[in-house]
Amino acid sequence: MGKGADIPRFKLNTGQYIPAIGLGTWQSKPGLVGEAVKTAIKVGYRHIDCAKAYGNEKEIGDALQDLFREGIVTRGDLWITSKLWNSDQHPDDVPKALAGSVERLQCGYLDLYLMHWPVALKKGAEGTAPEDFAPLDTKATWQAMEKCVESGGKTKAIGISNFSVEKTEKLLSYAKVVPAVNQVECHPVWQQKKLQPYLRSKGIHLSAYSPMGSGGSSFTEHIKVLDNPLLATLAKKYNKTPAEIALRWNVQLGHSVLPKSTNANRLEQNIDIFDFEISEEDMEKFNSIEQVRILRGDDMWVHDKNSPYKTVEELWDGDI
Amino acid sequence: MADAAIKLNSGHSMPVLGLGVWRADPGVLHNVVLQALKLGYRHFDCAADYKNEKELGVALAEGIGQGLVKREELFITTKLWNSDHGHVMEACKDSLKNLQIDYLDLYLIHFPIATRHTGIGTTESAKDVDGVLDIDVTISLETTWHAMEELVSAGLTKSIGISNYDIFLTRDCLAYAKIKPAVNQIETHPYFQRESLVQFCLKHGIAVTAHTPLGGGAANIEWFGAVSCLEDPILQGIARKYNKTPAQIALRWGVQRNTIVIPKSDKLERLKQNRDIFDFKLDDEDMKTIKSIDKRLRTNDPTRFWNINLFA
Ligand SMILES: NC(=O)c1ccc[n+]([C@@H]2O[C@H](COP(=O)([O-])OP(=O)(O)OC[C@H]3O[C@@H](n4cnc5c(N)ncnc54)[C@H](OP(=O)(O)O)[C@@H]3O)[C@@H](O)[C@H]2O)c1
Ligand SMILES: NC(=O)c1ccc[n+]([C@@H]2O[C@H](COP(=O)([O-])OP(=O)(O)OC[C@H]3O[C@@H](n4cnc5c(N)ncnc54)[C@H](OP(=O)(O)O)[C@@H]3O)[C@@H](O)[C@H]2O)c1
C-alpha cells in the first residue's frame, strides 16, 4: 500500500497530480544523497524535491540515470521539483538556471520549478553577505518563469517558495500564470495558520518543507518538533512514530510533504503513512500547539541597508 | 514469447500491440524505448511529425546493440507528413535516416491532406495569409498513393497504408491502388467506436490500427478538453470485475474487435500494465455493454492548430 503508483496525489491548478510525499534533499550530504534517492525510489517514493542551492543535483541525476538504466522506474514515473536560486533571478538568467538544473539532474524536464525565495542576489554571488544583495524585481523574474512553461519550456509547472500572504497577493496582481505551488515551512509547530486558508482560496497547493521541523539542522537546535508531547501521545495511540504523525497531519490537510532523510530505515518509515488516519478529534488537538516559525531567515535575508527586508517582520510581513 | 500478431494483406505480420510515441518528452523517450524493449514491446508507432524519429532510432539501435532485440523482430511504423506529399521518396528516406534503419515495416500517409511544402522532414503546418492551414490543392491523394507504392518496389518499406481516412476516401483508395493499403490508422476507442468504418476496412482486407486507443487519457483532456473513457463508470465497473484497470479493458476491447492498439505511456508501471491484456477475455455481455457507451466523441481534433476543421 502507498507505494509507487499507489501514492496518493493532489491535483494542482494545472491539472497535474503531485505525489503527496516527496524526498527532501537539503543538507543531504554528498556521497549519501545518491543512495538516498535510490533507496527512496525503491521503497516507493515518486517525488524528489531538489534545488540548485543544495549543491547535490549532479549526484541526484547520476542516481536517477542508474535507476532508469536498471529499469526500476522511468522518468515519467517521477515528479521532480527544483528551484531558481536567488542569484539567478535576472530574467535572462531564469531559463539558463532552469536548463542547468535539468542538465545536472539529467531528467529531460522538471515537473515543477519554484522561485526559491523572494530575495535577489547578485549574479554569481556565492554567499549571502550584505554586498551580495541585488535589487528585487519579482515581477520581472516571475514573467521569465512564466515563459518557462510555454511550449518548449523545460518545466511543466511553476511556483513560488517562502512567499507570505502579502507577497503572494502582490504576485497574483500581475501573474498570467498562477503559481501551482507555494512551498513553505509547515509542521505542527509552525502550521501556517494565516497562509493555509489563503492559498486554499486561491487554488495554490501548499507543499510543506521541514515537515518534521528540520531535525538536527543548526538553525533550530533549540526547538524539536518531533519531541512535542501531542505527537508522542498520538504516536502511541496510532502505533506510529512521532515523525509519521507529523507527516500524516500535513497530508490530511491536503499538503504534500517533503521529509528529508538519508537513512534507509527512516526513508521507509516516513512513507509508511498511508495506512492510517488521524481522527478529526485528534486533528483538532493540533490547534493548541504553541506556534513558532523555525526557519526565520533573519540571519540570511534581513539586512538594515542592502536587503529589501530591514527586519524579519518585513520578510514575512509580520507572520512570525 | 512473441506478441499476438495479425497477417496484413501485404503478407507481413504486425503485432497487435505497439507503443505510440507521440508527445513523448524529448530526452526521456530514449529510456522509455529501452525499457519497453525489455518488457517485450516490439512494435513502435512513430511519425516524422512527432519530431522524435532520431531519438527513437538511437534507442532502437542501442537496444539492438545490447542484444535486446533484432531488427527483424521489430515492427517500425512512421508516417509521411502533409507537407511532403509531393516528395514521398525523399521524405521516406529522411525518416529511414533518422531512424537508423534501411527499411520500414509500415509507412502511412498521416492525413488525407497535402499542405504547403516547407522542406523535407520539416513537418510544418504552414499557415496562409489568412492564418489558416495552407492547403495544397494541386496534388491528389491518388498521386501520393502511387508514390507510396514505389517505396515498396524500392524496398524502403514492407507495407504501406493510410491514416485518418474515412469510408469515402478509403473506398477511393481501394479503387486506384495497385498495392492495397495494408492498414488504416484511425482514432477509435470506447467513446469513438466508428463501427462502420472499422467493419468496412476489415471487410476489404485493410487492418485497422486504433490510434488514441485510450481516448488520449489525461493528455487529451489537457490538450483538447476531451472527456476520457478511462473515467467512465461502466468501464470502471468492468475493470473491477476482471481485476484490471480501465485502460486494460479499453485495450483488450480494441484487440477483441480485431484492431491493433498503440497506447502511449512514458511510465514504466503503465508500460507494463498496457501489455498485460492477453491473460483474460471480455465475455460477449461485456463487449456489448462497452458498445453501449459510445459517445461518438473525437478526442483529437487538430482544428485548434490549423484553424480549419478538416472533419467538417
Ligand atoms: N523551499 C525552501 O526554502 C526549503 C527550506 C527548507 C527545506 N526545504 C525542503 O524540504 C525538505 C525537508 O526539510 P528539512 O530537510 O529542513 O527538514 P525535515 O525533513 O523536517 O527534517 C530532516 C531531519 O530529520 C531527520 N529525520 C528524518 N526522518 C526522521 C524520522 N523518521 N524520525 C526522526 N528524525 C528524522 C533527518 O535526519 P536523517 O537524514 O539522518 O534521517 C534530518 O535531520 C528539505 O530537504 C528540502 O528539500 C525547502
Ligand atoms: N495517425 C494519427 O493521426 C495519430 C493521432 C494520434 C495518435 N496517434 C498514435 O497513437 C498513439 C497513442 O495515442 P495518444 O498517445 O494520443 O493517446 P492514448 O495512447 O490513447 O493515451 C495516452 C494518454 O493516456 C495515458 N495513459 C497511458 N497508459 C495509461 C494507463 N494504463 N492508465 C491511465 N492512463 C494511461 C498517457 O499518459 P502517460 O504517458 O503519462 O502514461 C497519455 O496521457 C500516439 O502515440 C501515436 O503513435 C496517431
Side-chain angles (χ1 to χ4, degrees):
Chain A
M1 259 308 288
K3 297 277 161 81
D6 300 330
I7 295 268
R9 287 161 188 261
F10 297 115
K11 190 169 186 172
L12 304 181
N13 59 19
T14 57
Q16 287 136 323
Y17 291 85
I18 188 169
I21 182 167
L23 175 67
T25 61
W26 179 41
Q27 295 176 329
S28 294
K29 297 211 171 50
L32 290 183
V33 70
E35 265 325 297
V37 166
K38 287 187 195 176
T39 307
I41 286 175
K42 285 177 186 161
V43 302
Y45 290 69
R46 290 293 179 266
H47 166 179
I48 307 171
D49 184 69
C50 313
K52 176 187 178 186
Y54 304 162
N56 53 17
E57 288 185 324
K58 174 70 171 65
E59 187 176 340
I60 294 172
D62 290 344
L64 292 176
Q65 282 304 308
D66 286 346
L67 290 161
F68 297 162
R69 246 192 316 272
E70 289 166 35
I72 310 289
V73 285
T74 52
R75 167 67 184 92
D77 290 316
L78 303 180
W79 180 283
I80 302 178
T81 300
S82 186
K83 310 185 192 91
L84 175 79
W85 186 237
N86 306 345
S87 56
D88 295 319
Q89 283 198 1
H90 188 280
D92 294 344
D93 296 328
V94 171
K96 290 184 209 152
L98 169 58
S101 280
V102 169
E103 194 184 315
R104 285 185 296 275
L105 289 163
Q106 304 161 62
C107 60
Y109 64 90
L110 297 181
D111 293 281
L112 178 64
Y113 197 45
L114 304 174
M115 240 182 109
H116 207 144
W117 286 92
V119 173
L121 296 174
K122 284 183 192 149
K123 186 172 176 158
E126 299 270 342
T128 62
E131 63 274 16
D132 289 332
F133 283 92
L136 184 64
D137 187 352
T138 304
K139 183 172 177 184
T141 303
W142 186 251
Q143 285 169 344
M145 293 284 284
E146 288 175 332
K147 289 216 178 73
C148 297
V149 275
E150 284 172 5
S151 69
K154 284 195 182 297
T155 184
K156 307 232 167 184
I158 51 174
I160 50 184
S161 179
N162 296 302
F163 274 55
S164 65
V165 169
E166 287 75 7
K167 290 182 176 59
T168 309
E169 182 87 359
K170 182 152 183 228
L171 181 121
L172 288 181
S173 72
Y174 51 75
K176 288 203 193 71
V177 178
V178 175
V181 169
N182 188 0
Q183 185 185 114
V184 292
E185 174 181 347
C186 187
H187 48 72
V189 175
W190 183 249
Q191 302 183 9
Q192 296 286 4
K193 288 187 179 179
K194 185 170 170 207
L195 193 61
Q196 255 196 68
Y198 173 78
L199 293 180
R200 201 168 296 126
S201 75
K202 299 292 175 190
I204 301 171
H205 175 80
L206 189 157
S207 204
Y209 80 59
S210 305
M212 301 174 298
S214 214
S217 107
S218 57
F219 300 102
T220 60
E221 273 152 31
H222 55 299
I223 307 161
K224 297 269 184 260
V225 172
L226 297 183
D227 290 346
N228 187 283
L230 176 63
L231 294 181
T233 312
L234 295 181
K236 209 161 168 199
K237 172 169 172 187
Y238 291 97
N239 199 16
K240 288 281 170 182
T241 65
E244 289 167 324
I245 298 292
L247 296 171
R248 179 74 207 180
W249 167 83
N250 247 317
V251 167
Q252 277 186 220
L253 292 172
H255 308 155
S256 51
V257 287
L258 309 167
K260 173 263 172 186
S261 183
T262 47
N263 172 286
N265 290 330
R266 287 191 286 277
L267 283 168
E268 269 201 79
Q269 183 190 129
N270 295 345
I271 199 176
D272 189 21
I273 55 170
F274 300 109
D275 61 348
F276 78 112
E277 195 169 331
I278 304 171
S279 72
E280 240 174 84
E281 200 190 330
D282 288 333
M283 287 295 283
E284 290 286 321
K285 293 184 182 147
F286 286 83
N287 288 333
S288 57
I289 298 176
E290 190 194 336
Q291 297 295 293
V292 188
R293 186 189 282 276
I294 294 180
L295 269 92
R296 302 166 67 83
D298 41 357
D299 44 354
M300 295 191 292
W301 311 131
V302 174
H303 191 267
D304 56 4
K305 282 202 269 308
N306 301 39
S307 170
Y309 314 115
K310 315 295 176 211
T311 63
V312 71
E313 283 75 17
E314 284 178 25
L315 176 59
W316 302 111
D317 296 297
D319 189 20
I320 41 168
Chain B
M1 202 191 78
D3 275 345
I6 59 148
K7 191 101 170 197
L8 301 177
N9 61 15
S10 58
H12 300 286
S13 73
M14 176 169 185
V16 300
L17 176 77
L19 180 69
V21 302
W22 182 38
R23 296 185 284 197
D25 283 285
V28 169
L29 177 62
H30 179 262
N31 183 246
V32 168
V33 170
L34 284 173
Q35 299 315 322
L37 286 174
K38 286 186 201 159
L39 293 173
Y41 282 85
R42 292 295 176 263
H43 165 189
F44 295 86
D45 185 80
C46 195
D49 184 51
Y50 303 164
K51 299 190 172 29
N52 54 20
E53 287 179 325
K54 272 195 187 146
E55 192 172 354
L56 175 62
V58 169
L60 291 176
E62 208 171 303
I64 292 169
Q66 288 177 11
L68 292 174
V69 68
K70 299 196 194 65
R71 169 65 187 97
E72 55 272 26
E73 294 164 344
L74 291 170
F75 190 98
I76 304 174
T77 303
T78 195
K79 309 184 190 92
L80 173 78
W81 188 239
N82 308 340
S83 55
D84 284 335
H85 277 222
H87 305 264
V88 172
M89 181 74 77
E90 296 110 297
C92 181
K93 284 185 177 161
D94 188 57
S95 286
L96 286 169
K97 198 173 95 208
N98 288 335
L99 287 161
Q100 303 186 34
I101 51 179
D102 49 19
Y103 69 92
L104 293 170
D105 292 280
L106 181 62
Y107 196 48
L108 303 176
I109 297 180
H110 204 147
F111 281 92
I113 189 133
T115 59
R116 192 211 309 163
H117 182 63
T118 50
I120 303 295
T122 52
T123 69
E124 273 171 44
S125 293
K127 307 284 176 350
D128 211 339
V129 283
D130 57 2
V132 172
L133 184 67
D134 193 357
I135 296 171
D136 181 337
V137 295
T138 66
I139 309 171
S140 74
L141 290 172
E142 178 173 354
T143 307
T144 307
W145 186 253
H146 292 320
M148 295 285 284
E149 292 171 329
E150 279 172 32
L151 301 176
V152 180
S153 15
L156 300 186
T157 183
K158 303 254 185 207
S159 305
I160 48 176
I162 54 187
S163 179
N164 298 305
Y165 277 48
D166 62 14
I167 294 182
F168 299 126
L169 292 166
T170 307
R171 187 212 67 89
D172 202 35
C173 183
L174 284 169
Y176 57 66
K178 288 189 285 255
I179 301 176
K180 306 274 178 240
V183 167
N184 186 8
Q185 182 178 124
I186 55 165
E187 174 174 347
T188 177
H189 46 78
Y191 275 0
F192 194 38
Q193 301 192 9
R194 313 179 87 183
E195 197 58 27
S196 298
L197 175 56
V198 170
Q199 290 312 324
F200 176 81
C201 290
L202 295 181
K203 179 170 168 182
H204 292 281
I206 304 173
V208 174
T209 298
H211 79 60
T212 326
L214 302 172
N220 283 7
I221 298 179
E222 190 189 327
W223 282 48
F224 303 105
V227 180
S228 171
C229 62
L230 303 183
E231 285 163 17
D232 186 276
I234 293 176
L235 212 61
Q236 289 177 342
I238 296 175
R240 273 191 298 277
K241 170 172 160 189
Y242 291 92
N243 202 11
K244 294 279 174 182
T245 66
Q248 289 171 315
I249 300 297
L251 296 173
R252 178 71 209 180
W253 170 81
V255 168
Q256 268 182 236
R257 70 198 286 245
N258 299 314
T259 62
I260 297 151
V261 291
I262 49 169
K264 175 263 174 188
S265 180
D266 60 16
K267 301 180 171 45
L268 192 65
E269 280 145 357
R270 289 177 175 176
L271 290 171
K272 285 185 194 154
Q273 194 191 107
N274 294 348
R275 281 183 60 71
D276 188 17
I277 56 168
F278 297 106
D279 62 345
F280 76 111
K281 190 169 180 296
L282 294 165
D283 63 33
D284 294 347
E285 201 55 41
D286 292 321
M287 286 299 283
K288 253 196 234 148
T289 308
I290 295 173
K291 205 168 200 165
S292 73
I293 67 170
D294 192 4
K295 287 190 193 296
R296 302 179 186 211
L297 178 82
R298 187 184 295 281
T299 68
N300 176 340
D301 184 348
T303 301
R304 202 187 113 189
F305 307 110
W306 296 344
N307 299 325
I308 182 170
N309 179 6
L310 295 181
F311 303 105

